[in-house]
């Protein structure tokens, strides 16, 4: 299932904030992403209409199974690519920023090959 990069970022942010805080509200997303609350509200309405999130009467935001699938996939890509770049000697800040750019565009085939390569090489001692 292919969705817009911005939607992937929102879903990934919801997943990260839920892990960090336990609950997620629109204001948390706005602060985390540096967006205005009205912009976040519009995006959340679209995610809700597309079946990726639900909200309760208190304004708490939850990922649906479809939303969780996308968020977990993007988060895995972001984390693994960032670790790989740091393993190559890239600073953490740059590695994570670059991973965020690449995570949305890399093919599943290429990511799986990178993942395999990382798993094989992550525990090898430096030469």
């Amino acid at each position: 299932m292919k969705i817009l990069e911005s939607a992937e970022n929102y879903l990934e942010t919801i997943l990260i904030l839920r892990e960090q805080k336990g609950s997620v509200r629109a204001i948390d997303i706005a602060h985390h992403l540096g967006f205005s609350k009205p912009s976040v509200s519009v995006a959340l309405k679209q995610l809700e209409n597309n079946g990726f999130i639900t909200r309760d009467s208190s304004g708490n935001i939850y990922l649906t199974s479809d939303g969780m699938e996308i968020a977990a996939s993007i988060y895995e890509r972001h984390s693994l690519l960032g670790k790989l770049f740091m393993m190559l000697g890239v600073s953490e800040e740059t590695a994570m920023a670059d991973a965020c750019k690449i995570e949305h565009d890399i093919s599943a085939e290429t990511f799986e090959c990178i993942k395999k390569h990382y798993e094989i090489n992550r525990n090898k001692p430096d030469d």
Side-chain angles (χ1 to χ4, degrees):
M1 171 184 327
K2 185 66 177 154
I3 64 171
L4 294 176
E5 180 178 329
S6 61
E8 290 176 340
N9 281 332
Y10 275 97
L11 296 172
E12 180 185 25
T13 297
I14 293 166
L15 176 64
I16 291 167
L17 290 173
R18 172 132 339 259
E19 289 177 0
Q20 290 175 351
K21 299 173 58 95
S23 63
V24 182
R25 297 170 55 95
I27 194 69
D28 302 320
I29 297 168
H31 286 141
H32 185 83
L33 294 174
F35 296 161
S36 71
K37 185 139 179 344
S39 294
V40 170
S41 293
V42 168
L44 291 177
K45 188 66 176 163
Q46 290 175 333
L47 290 172
E48 192 171 28
N49 288 342
N50 288 316
F52 297 119
I53 65 165
T54 60
R55 293 186 265 191
D56 65 19
S57 59
S58 299
N60 293 306
I61 300 163
Y62 303 93
L63 293 168
T64 63
S65 58
D66 287 343
M68 178 58 89
E69 183 180 329
I70 293 165
S73 173
I74 293 299
Y75 185 64
E76 177 189 29
R77 288 170 175 232
H78 187 133
S79 298
L80 189 128
L81 290 168
K83 289 175 190 174
L84 176 65
F85 297 155
M86 287 185 283
M87 191 170 85
L88 295 171
V90 178
S91 70
E92 182 176 0
E93 183 179 346
T94 300
M96 297 314 277
D98 287 347
C100 189
K101 295 171 193 168
I102 294 169
E103 69 193 15
H104 305 285
D105 294 323
I106 193 168
S107 70
E109 177 185 1
T110 299
F111 180 72
E112 287 305 314
C113 289
I114 289 172
K115 187 174 170 180
K116 238 183 263 184
H117 177 79
Y118 175 80
E119 292 299 324
I120 290 168
N121 292 291
R122 70 179 173 161
N123 294 320
K124 285 188 178 177
D126 293 335
D127 293 326

